[in-house]
Amino acid sequence: MFKTLNNFEKQDNKQNGYEINNNVSNVEDTDDIVYVDNNTVAKTNGANDGLDDTKDTQLKRLTRIYRDLLETIGEDTEREGLLKTPERAAKALLYFTNGYQLKINDVLNDAVFAEDTDEMVVVKDIEMFSYCEHHLVPIYGKVSIGYLPDHKVLGLSKLARIVEMFARRLQVQERLTKQIAEAVVEAISPLGVGVVVEAKHMCMSSRGVQKINGKTITSCMFGEFKDNHKTRHEFLSMI
């Protein structure tokens, strides 16, 4: 049996740089970005570790930053087409990174079911959209997930929600792939799990070498998917 990663939550929080604090009274003025959902405040583990914020305050700060950015590149932020652009961009960034606000239990919402089966479950071609943490430009593609149940199955839509949870963060594809696999392990302790991500990176196609047809494929295998080549072959042949 493939065991649950007991330190998953700790690794996830540390790796993604946040801790959740639900009782916040003071707001510290800092340039660090935080991630807020209603009254829940995410606190970064960076150099300015004392930061607290509110959603409205964060939106205003990001709007100001985007206005400064546009003016820095020579744009006139008072012209009609750009009057509301800084606020729109700020709202978009908060949406693109709202995965920081989520934990695996929030995503699963108790959709784990006892089922007497050990046959492979595969959900393929789940659309994925993320942001490259190196250049802050899009990564987009598809994710395929397979697992061997150990008398527990996961609601199918929850696999897509797990993808969304980790994609809606600043990412590198290699880490994203592993995080998705670890989350499935944490959720249902399967006999094995495999994840394959195929994506295009705008940092490669729109700048630098500008190779628009290049795709990156990454995989992560645990348990039977890693140790048993027949299981791995079956999974890969299905996607």
Side-chain angles (χ1 to χ4, degrees):
M1 175 180 177
F2 188 52
K3 301 295 184 181
T4 300
L5 298 178
N6 294 324
N7 61 347
F8 174 81
E9 291 290 342
K10 183 181 296 184
Q11 290 175 338
D12 180 55
N13 289 352
K14 183 177 180 181
Q15 187 174 43
N16 292 287
Y18 71 92
E19 296 175 356
I20 297 299
N21 180 356
N22 290 313
N23 299 305
V24 176
S25 57
N26 299 317
V27 176
E28 181 177 340
D29 187 14
T30 173
D31 289 331
D32 282 356
I33 292 179
V34 295
Y35 305 88
V36 183
D37 183 13
N38 297 325
N39 294 322
T40 301
V41 178
K43 172 179 161 184
T44 67
N45 289 331
N48 298 320
D49 208 19
L51 119 98
D52 297 324
D53 215 335
T54 67
K55 190 171 185 178
D56 288 342
T57 301
Q58 185 185 26
L59 180 60
K60 290 177 182 178
R61 291 170 60 210
L62 285 174
T63 299
R64 183 175 68 249
I65 290 168
Y66 273 111
R67 184 175 292 110
D68 289 344
L69 185 153
L70 289 170
E71 292 173 352
T72 299
I73 64 173
E75 271 291 357
D76 176 11
T77 55
E78 296 302 316
R79 68 180 177 87
E80 182 180 10
L82 292 179
L83 282 175
K84 295 184 178 181
T85 296
E87 183 177 358
R88 291 192 192 103
K91 289 179 178 178
L93 180 61
L94 293 176
Y95 174 74
F96 292 148
T97 58
N98 63 19
Y100 288 106
Q101 302 165 6
L102 301 174
K103 284 181 169 289
I104 186 64
N105 289 335
D106 301 326
V107 170
L108 296 181
N109 196 25
D110 297 324
V112 176
F113 308 102
E115 193 67 40
D116 187 20
T117 180
D118 58 1
E119 295 298 326
M120 189 179 298
V121 178
V122 175
V123 178
K124 59 183 285 187
D125 296 340
I126 302 169
E127 295 91 345
M128 177 275 295
F129 181 92
S130 189
Y131 258 71
C132 166
E133 69 177 33
H134 300 142
H135 299 95
L136 301 184
V137 292
I139 304 169
Y140 62 95
K142 59 185 181 180
V143 180
S144 295
I145 305 172
Y147 69 91
L148 282 176
D150 187 18
H151 305 290
K152 285 192 296 185
V153 296
L154 190 60
L156 295 178
S157 69
K158 303 308 178 185
L159 293 172
R161 292 191 182 278
I162 288 172
V163 171
E164 191 80 355
M165 170 183 169
F166 290 108
R168 293 296 182 184
R169 307 177 182 193
L170 301 184
Q171 280 288 9
V172 295
Q173 185 173 328
E174 296 87 344
R175 182 172 68 235
L176 171 63
T177 308
K178 185 177 180 181
Q179 287 175 331
I180 294 168
E182 289 178 336
V184 176
V185 172
E186 175 70 9
I188 55 173
S189 302
L191 298 173
V193 60
V195 175
V196 174
V197 179
E198 179 180 312
K200 288 191 173 185
H201 294 243
M202 292 295 289
C203 57
M204 180 177 173
S205 61
S206 66
R207 56 163 298 283
V209 294
Q210 299 183 53
K211 302 303 180 185
I212 62 174
N213 293 319
K215 295 181 180 180
T216 300
I217 301 175
T218 51
S219 67
C220 182
M221 309 285 176
F222 288 139
E224 286 293 306
F225 283 71
K226 184 174 184 178
D227 300 333
N228 188 326
H229 75 276
K230 291 183 178 180
T231 303
R232 183 168 60 252
H233 176 74
E234 179 183 354
F235 168 58
L236 295 175
S237 67
M238 294 173 70
I239 63 173

